[in-house]
Amino acid sequence: MSRFKIRCAVLLAGICAALSLTGPATAAPAPNGGLTLRSDIAINARLHELVFTTPDLNAPTYVRVLLPQGYSSARRYPVLLLLEGCCNAAPQARDWTDPAKGNAEAIVGNTPVILVMPDSGKGGFYSDWYNNGHGGNPRWESYHIGQLLPWIDAHYSTVSGRRGHAVAGFSMGGFGAMSYAARHPDRFVSAASFSGALDSNDPQAVTTDEMLAYLDNPVPGSLWGPRSTQEIRWRAHNPWDLAANLRGMHLELYTGNGNPGPFNKTYDGTEGKDVHPQSVSMHNRLNSLGIAHEWHDYGGGSHSWSYWRRDLTQYLPGLMATFAHPPAQPEPFTFTAAEPRFDAYGYQVTVNRNSPAFTTLSGVTRNGFTLNATTSATVVTSTRYRSGAAYQVTTTTSLGKKSQTIHAARDGRLTIPVSLGALTTNQPDIDTLIAQHAETATIAIAEHI
């Protein structure tokens, strides 16, 4: 999106503020938080346009599903969630299959993968909006991750779970792809960003992200709140801050530098000054963490469909190779989140506070884990222990060691309380928070013989 368009969008938003036939069955409700299919139109033999209603959005929302050639319920197919950038009017779901834009049907050809292309709002940023503390709609993340993907798995012949899901997108959709993958690494085996806005810590990004969100709601602070007072909420969705969660995933980053390239004759500032520095920042962050990824800094190139079509074309072979031989879940794994309650790889963590603050669950194996948090918490493990068996759980903190016997529940989970002392002051910087403002507990787990 050009700076001119952004300025026009912001001006318009300010004015508004001042004026103060195959496929799933139609109208079939899904058990996913009220998601209901209202229509399913076959555009052609492979391409379907679905319309849903959901409590997480205020209006009906579109999804396009591109099935593989020769789709058959006798086999299972992996799923690529393909995300849209900013600023286009609804339904955004149509853009990736528009021959003049994404041309995805031709690019995919006979590749045996299901493409799912949902609406995203003009500036929705793939998030559940803060709305200045009031919460409520839109809740794009809850819809896409909690409702739409499970619905797709339930109604199409898919390879379900992490090994059969990937996510990719351009611009704001590149942000969405990496944010969703980092916030839900147990849901995706691969993620790719095409000219993505990957680091909202960039000063230019703060201004741009807020301006784009105005396209959907001209009230300042609606997306994640004012950066000056709600920085932790911005960082809680920011791919750069959550990059460590991406370990063990197939990752690809594509970006141009805005200079003239094969599909553009003039310099493009959106690519060169806005998203390129953010992609470079993300690349450097992944390198510093030792996380493998493919880096495609291709030089000349603009923020345009010509390059995103090429990016998708180049991404598909590596994606399909990953689907064919998916990497195992990281063991041990590390996961960081700022929400008071979060799930990762079957573990559930509840921190005893209502406000957000970064918490890290690390070194997780069957024999234990480490928890860095700003106050006490409860950790419920995955279903990896013997039902009813007794386990000695030893917690080591700065105050010493404490041992207790905990019996595994019928489903093989252990519920472990972790005492870490009084609530400490939250600081948003993910690199210094854990070192300076959180406490550490190391938990060892051993079965009683």
Side-chain angles (χ1 to χ4, degrees):
M1 182 179 184
S2 70
R3 281 184 168 78
F4 175 75
K5 290 181 180 178
I6 291 175
R7 292 192 191 100
C8 290
V10 174
L11 179 60
L12 178 60
I15 294 171
C16 293
L19 295 173
S20 169
L21 293 151
T22 58
T26 300
N32 301 316
L35 183 68
T36 302
L37 178 66
R38 297 300 182 184
S39 67
D40 177 355
I41 298 175
I43 307 300
N44 58 41
R46 301 176 59 191
L47 182 62
H48 290 253
E49 183 168 275
L50 315 181
V51 179
F52 291 98
T53 54
T54 168
D56 289 335
L57 301 173
N58 291 332
T61 187
Y62 287 69
V63 179
R64 283 207 165 181
V65 176
L66 180 65
L67 299 173
Q69 290 182 4
Y71 172 81
S72 168
S73 60
R75 63 175 293 187
R76 295 195 173 273
Y77 304 87
V79 174
L80 172 59
L81 181 64
L82 195 55
L83 304 181
E84 168 85 356
C86 81
C87 313
N88 293 325
Q92 297 91 17
R94 295 174 178 172
D95 287 348
W96 266 113
T97 53
D98 184 336
K101 294 181 177 179
N103 201 25
E105 186 170 355
I107 291 172
V108 171
N110 61 0
T111 305
V113 62
I114 297 174
L115 264 56
V116 178
M117 297 153 284
D119 281 349
S120 56
K122 290 184 178 180
F125 273 95
Y126 300 93
S127 300
D128 292 1
W129 281 36
Y130 179 58
N131 288 317
N132 287 291
H134 300 293
N137 294 348
R139 292 188 284 251
W140 290 109
E141 183 176 16
S142 290
Y143 160 56
H144 288 149
I145 302 299
Q147 297 180 353
L148 179 59
L149 279 180
W151 193 96
I152 294 294
D153 283 337
H155 291 80
Y156 293 100
S157 187
T158 69
V159 177
S160 61
R162 175 178 178 268
R163 67 191 182 96
H165 289 161
V167 59
F170 70 89
S171 194
M172 183 183 76
F175 165 90
M178 289 296 164
S179 183
Y180 278 176
R183 288 170 62 82
H184 306 279
D186 48 5
R187 301 290 188 92
F188 300 103
V189 75
S190 177
S193 166
F194 312 145
S195 302
L198 303 182
D199 186 8
S200 64
N201 297 321
D202 184 310
Q204 177 63 34
V206 176
T207 302
T208 301
D209 292 0
E210 287 186 326
M211 287 194 299
L212 298 182
Y214 290 171
L215 297 173
D216 289 334
N217 188 341
V219 178
S222 295
L223 178 55
W224 299 310
R227 177 83 183 200
S228 59
T229 60
Q230 300 296 330
E231 185 173 358
I232 187 69
R233 298 183 189 277
W234 285 69
R235 288 177 174 264
H237 295 84
N238 187 29
W240 188 95
D241 285 289
L242 302 178
N245 294 352
L246 296 168
R247 193 178 303 276
M249 202 177 296
H250 168 241
L251 304 170
E252 296 196 25
L253 308 179
Y254 295 78
T255 182
N257 60 23
N259 291 327
F263 307 119
N264 66 301
K265 296 181 179 180
T266 59
Y267 178 74
D268 178 53
T270 299
E271 187 76 13
K273 294 181 180 179
D274 295 339
V275 298
H276 182 261
Q278 294 185 50
S279 293
V280 171
S281 179
M282 185 66 175
H283 164 62
N284 292 337
R285 178 69 168 174
L286 292 171
N287 278 343
S288 71
L289 294 169
I291 296 177
H293 61 287
E294 294 188 27
W295 173 234
H296 305 271
D297 190 354
Y298 48 77
S302 61
H303 207 65
S304 62
W305 279 107
S306 296
Y307 291 96
W308 304 326
R309 289 193 295 268
R310 188 181 69 177
D311 295 344
L312 177 61
T313 301
Q314 294 179 357
Y315 171 55
L316 280 174
L319 171 64
M320 298 310 296
T322 300
F323 280 143
H325 303 283
Q329 171 185 316
E331 179 79 8
F333 76 80
T334 294
F335 183 80
T336 295
E339 287 74 17
R341 185 187 184 281
F342 60 85
D343 302 342
Y345 296 108
Y347 280 69
Q348 302 167 1
V349 178
T350 302
V351 183
N352 295 324
R353 62 179 299 158
N354 294 322
S355 57
F358 279 117
T359 298
T360 294
L361 186 67
S362 62
V364 182
T365 69
R366 193 176 188 278
N367 297 322
F369 55 86
T370 295
L371 184 72
N372 295 84
T374 55
T375 186
S376 58
T378 299
V379 177
V380 180
T381 71
S382 62
T383 57
R384 64 194 312 173
Y385 301 97
R386 287 200 307 119
S387 175
Y391 292 83
Q392 179 175 306
V393 178
T394 302
T395 302
T396 303
T397 68
S398 60
L399 301 177
K401 290 186 177 183
K402 177 183 177 180
S403 293
Q404 56 187 318
T405 298
I406 298 177
H407 288 79
R410 182 175 297 179
D411 63 0
R413 299 178 185 272
L414 296 175
T415 299
I416 304 172
V418 182
S419 297
L420 283 170
L423 182 70
T424 58
T425 302
N426 169 51
Q427 296 290 329
D429 190 323
I430 194 169
D431 289 325
T432 61
L433 171 67
I434 293 171
Q436 299 178 11
H437 301 279
E439 295 186 59
T440 300
T442 301
I443 289 81
I445 301 171
E447 185 173 359
H448 283 298
I449 303 302

